[in-house]
Amino acid sequence: MNAENYFISTFCSSKTHIGDDGAAIGKWIYSKDLFFENIHFKRKWLTPYQIGYKAMIINISDAVAMNAVPKYALLGAAMPKSMSLHQMDELSRGIRTAASEYGIEIIGGDTIGNSKLDLSVTIISHAANPLLRRGLKRGDIIAYTGEIGKSAKQLRYLMSGGSVHTQSRFVAPKLRQSFIAEARPYLRCGMDISDGLFSDIEKLCRANRMGVRFTKKVPKKIGCSGEEYEMLIAFSPRRLQTLRRIAAQNRTTITPVARAVRGSYTNRCKAHHF
Amino acid sequence: MNAENYFISTFCSSKTHIGDDGAAIGKWIYSKDLFFENIHFKRKWLTPYQIGYKAMIINISDAVAMNAVPKYALLGAAMPKSMSLHQMDELSRGIRTAASEYGIEIIGGDTIGNSKLDLSVTIISHAANPLLRRGLKRGDIIAYTGEIGKSAKQLRYLMSGGSVHTQSRFVAPKLRQSFIAEARPYLRCGMDISDGLFSDIEKLCRANRMGVRFTKKVPKKIGCSGEEYEMLIAFSPRRLQTLRRIAAQNRTTITPVARAVRGSYTNRCKAHHF
């Protein structure tokens, strides 16, 4: 267990809801993610607009992954004194653009001066039929949506001094909101792939106290690629055709990678933060 | 307008609820505050336990100031890699102690490695009869609870290399929960004094588009002392005796400082963050 997971574990009790992308209280889902300079991004990689936009999208992803409709956001913004008003405007415009795309109202927050640009976003969402991490059954197919591995490739470009397209997944992840909404009745459980395919399969296994048998060979550079924001889903094999059709209707694909089996699974990727 | 207020203003619209200590959506109040190393505290001043405790209390203060009952918390913790497991345990214990004192369940959050210890807390509270910043009427008395100025004094000790008592207000602010709950029917509006008496009177004035006439001379070193976490309240003069009695029953005092008048008010303190 790494230090971060250890810290989280100190808060776990039978009463807490920690573990899913968001915490469910009645029909409301609460999720919170940090988006910190030099941890999740470098300022030379992204414009202030892109930083604001992505900070929101990675948080909205938690809600969408649970089949919840994001409604409100609280914003914590720690900003370097060196940021110009124009840069602040651009950061704000990125945040507001993402909020507007998903129908989110920004209701409050806290803003301070800081040594670097660190954002913290809380999203309040409504879920009539939430998709949770638990519910996996033996024999279920575990699959991912879309293509993965691109984000890691883009990250390698950026780290070696290159730049990436403004519509790239690393800059502006696309979320699978409509697919999840339509697929929900046929899914056992699911979550977004934020830490990497292997790492998130491990989380799914732990939540269900099960293991996996891989049915498709996944190269390490793809399986360990973080920040993909595609979906990891599990379902009964007899739902595969239905889900493939729903995926196609929503302009994505699903790729089965494993079957749920007894046991446990531990991934071998290194932590993806730089 | 400073840079932080400018940034906040970019999100304001007629629909948003920005301005109060927390945002009200139906009977739920959402508040979020950052508690960042070298901005709000230095690690040599406070133990990890005290940092965790205070991070929670300053957030709970926003809820209590609105006469809301805090129920749930989401935690964002960015921690230096150099923190030991013992220090994490202590940080967690401080957070859990404050949560337990106020009956709060920690339902989720995000934890990352970072260059310094930065905490972000979101509190979800329930308010049957919230106390807001708006509602001030001409002639109303503006007063504060308890004693103010101590926090600034303790901060001066700490900045000059001294230490303060573990039960001091700087380390462990006491909130006026029971007083506010009982006084609510007699109050027009109120907020907690987090930035300083003068600065927060200015916010109250702005929220109500009014000014103040001071009725008590307040030295600058008291009026500009931040992080007091006492309450700023406003009420009709005919409620003064009732409120003095409620204050006494709750082991505090109220000190009238000003009357609400037409006009506006601008404070002359410098920003209190170091």
Side-chain angles (χ1 to χ4, degrees), chain A residues 3-4 6-8 10-11 15-18 23 25 28 30-34 36-37 39-40 72 74-79 81 85 88-89 91-92 95-96 105-116 118 120-122 124 273, chain B residues 3-4 6-8 10-11 15-18 23 25 28 30-34 36-37 39-40 72 74-79 81 85 88-89 91-92 95-96 105-116 118 120-122 124 273:
Chain A
E4 291 151 28
Y6 173 77
F7 185 72
I8 292 167
T10 64
F11 295 98
K15 280 180 73 188
T16 60
H17 308 242
I18 291 175
I25 302 288
W28 293 97
Y30 300 100
S31 52
K32 175 175 195 141
D33 264 324
L34 305 176
F36 271 39
E37 183 174 347
I39 308 298
H40 302 97
Y72 306 106
L74 294 155
L75 197 64
M79 296 181 292
K81 306 253 182 227
L85 290 187
M88 279 190 201
D89 273 333
L91 180 69
S92 166
I95 291 166
R96 285 182 283 118
E105 186 185 351
I106 293 163
I107 57 171
D110 190 16
T111 305
I112 59 168
N114 192 38
S115 51
K116 60 192 182 82
D118 296 334
S120 157
V121 180
T122 303
I124 302 161
H273 294 322
Chain B
E4 291 151 28
Y6 173 77
F7 185 72
I8 293 166
T10 64
F11 296 99
K15 281 180 73 189
T16 60
H17 308 240
I18 292 173
I25 302 287
W28 293 98
Y30 301 99
S31 52
K32 175 174 196 142
D33 264 325
L34 305 176
F36 271 38
E37 181 173 348
I39 308 296
H40 303 96
Y72 306 105
L74 294 156
L75 198 63
M79 297 182 292
K81 306 252 180 229
L85 289 187
M88 279 190 202
D89 273 332
L91 180 69
S92 167
I95 292 167
R96 285 181 284 118
E105 186 185 350
I106 293 164
I107 56 170
D110 191 16
T111 305
I112 58 168
N114 192 37
S115 51
K116 60 192 183 82
D118 296 333
S120 159
V121 180
T122 302
I124 301 161
H273 293 320

Side-chain angles (χ1 to χ4, degrees), chain A residues 37-256:
Chain A
E37 183 174 347
N38 300 336
I39 308 298
H40 302 97
F41 68 92
K42 288 191 186 284
R43 266 208 280 166
K44 64 181 176 192
W45 292 350
L46 299 172
T47 65
Y49 172 87
Q50 290 168 340
I51 292 167
Y53 186 85
K54 189 167 176 180
M56 287 294 287
I57 293 294
I58 61 170
N59 275 279
I60 295 168
S61 178
D62 288 332
V64 165
M66 292 181 77
N67 193 34
V69 181
K71 297 278 190 188
Y72 306 106
L74 294 155
L75 197 64
M79 296 181 292
K81 306 253 182 227
S82 61
M83 268 183 81
S84 67
L85 290 187
H86 175 70
Q87 287 173 320
M88 279 190 201
D89 273 333
E90 284 295 295
L91 180 69
S92 166
R93 191 169 66 83
I95 291 166
R96 285 182 283 118
T97 300
S100 158
E101 282 176 11
Y102 287 86
I104 295 168
E105 186 185 351
I106 293 163
I107 57 171
D110 190 16
T111 305
I112 59 168
N114 192 38
S115 51
K116 60 192 182 82
L117 180 57
D118 296 334
L119 300 173
S120 157
V121 180
T122 303
I123 304 274
I124 302 161
S125 315
H126 191 266
N129 186 10
L131 179 66
L132 304 176
R133 288 188 189 182
R134 286 190 196 172
L136 192 64
K137 287 202 164 64
R138 206 144 33 105
D140 278 356
I141 293 175
I142 295 170
Y144 61 82
T145 59
E147 265 186 275
I148 56 173
K150 278 194 176 173
S151 188
K153 203 168 161 187
Q154 289 163 0
L155 184 57
R156 281 195 299 274
Y157 281 136
L158 288 165
M159 291 186 81
S160 61
S163 61
V164 296
H165 193 273
T166 53
Q167 290 307 309
S168 72
R169 292 195 68 77
F170 184 84
V171 174
K174 295 284 174 293
L175 306 181
R176 301 296 177 195
Q177 192 171 29
S178 60
F179 167 72
I180 292 296
E182 290 174 42
R184 175 67 193 94
Y186 312 104
L187 299 176
R188 289 252 225 246
C189 58
M191 60 187 287
D192 68 351
I193 303 175
S194 52
D195 289 345
L197 178 65
F198 292 157
S199 171
D200 290 326
I201 287 177
E202 179 180 327
K203 285 186 197 155
L204 202 69
C205 286
R206 277 178 193 269
N208 292 284
R209 296 183 186 191
M210 294 187 79
V212 283
R213 177 173 54 79
F214 279 86
T215 52
K216 177 184 159 74
K217 197 164 163 55
V218 181
K220 203 168 170 184
K221 73 175 179 184
I222 288 177
C224 296
S225 174
E227 302 200 36
E228 293 291 336
Y229 301 104
E230 289 290 354
M231 282 292 297
L232 184 67
I233 50 177
F235 47 85
S236 158
R238 65 196 173 89
R239 301 300 194 185
L240 181 59
Q241 289 320 311
T242 307
L243 288 167
R244 284 221 150 110
R245 183 176 47 74
I246 295 170
Q249 284 163 355
N250 288 282
R251 297 186 188 180
T252 187
T253 53
I254 50 176
T255 305

